[in-house]
Amino acid sequence: MRFLKNQKVEVCSKEEGFAGSFYEATILNPLYINGNEVFYKVEYKNLLEENETEPLVENVPQNEIRPLPPPLSNESGFSVNELVDVFANDGWWFGRITGKRGSYFSVYFPTTCDHIEYHVSLLRPHQDWVEQKWISYK
């Protein structure tokens, strides 16, 4: 899939401790080719440069970028064992709901083995980008 200049996307982190997390970004330059690999220059929405005053800009391989997931209706709410993404530490992290207390949900994160409670406003239904289409588990 080709991404366009100014398109909003999510970038997957491959760094240790951040694997599987996604960060919203905007495509600055559509692409360039380095050997056989396609890269995009992106500017992150929530991640900052070391000086902490400007958005972080990086060149990212195409296989680490996906379009923004479509919004899903969540009228029925979330339930125990449901797969979700949680907005934490400036990005979206994959997890599974393990409990509920009022408008707070306990979420287990398999990539970090953490178990943390979050307000419902920080959750979204989990979706995977597979073969150029979104797969929903809701």
Side-chain angles (χ1 to χ4, degrees):
M1 170 177 210
R2 301 273 188 220
F3 298 100
L4 305 173
K5 185 174 184 170
N6 296 321
Q7 183 176 351
K8 305 289 186 208
V9 295
E10 287 186 344
V11 178
C12 179
S13 177
K14 304 280 187 181
E15 291 185 34
E16 187 176 329
F18 295 91
S21 59
F22 284 87
Y23 299 86
E24 189 174 330
T26 301
I27 300 292
L28 296 180
N29 291 328
L31 59 103
Y32 66 89
I33 298 176
N34 180 15
N36 292 328
E37 218 172 347
V38 177
F39 285 79
Y40 288 87
K41 181 177 264 189
V42 301
E43 178 180 273
Y44 291 94
K45 178 179 178 182
N46 298 309
L47 299 179
L48 300 175
E49 293 281 359
E50 284 186 27
N51 64 18
E52 296 189 13
T53 61
E54 299 172 18
L56 178 62
V57 174
E58 286 187 320
N59 294 325
V60 179
Q62 181 175 356
N63 65 358
E64 294 180 15
I65 302 174
R66 67 183 189 183
L68 288 182
L72 291 179
S73 172
N74 196 31
E75 294 174 8
S76 62
F78 294 103
S79 57
V80 172
N81 289 321
E82 185 173 343
L83 301 178
V84 293
D85 294 330
V86 177
F87 190 78
N89 299 317
D90 300 319
W92 291 99
W93 296 75
F94 165 74
R96 179 182 301 277
I97 293 176
T98 58
K100 179 181 180 192
R101 184 180 56 84
S103 57
Y104 288 84
F105 289 84
S106 295
V107 179
Y108 173 74
F109 299 94
T111 57
T112 61
C113 296
D114 289 326
H115 204 141
I116 305 172
E117 190 173 76
Y118 292 93
H119 189 267
V120 67
S121 64
L122 297 174
L123 276 61
R124 70 180 184 190
H126 179 71
Q127 299 176 76
D128 282 321
W129 180 245
V130 180
E131 297 180 8
Q132 310 291 315
K133 60 184 173 186
W134 287 103
I135 307 296
S136 171
Y137 301 93
K138 185 89 174 140

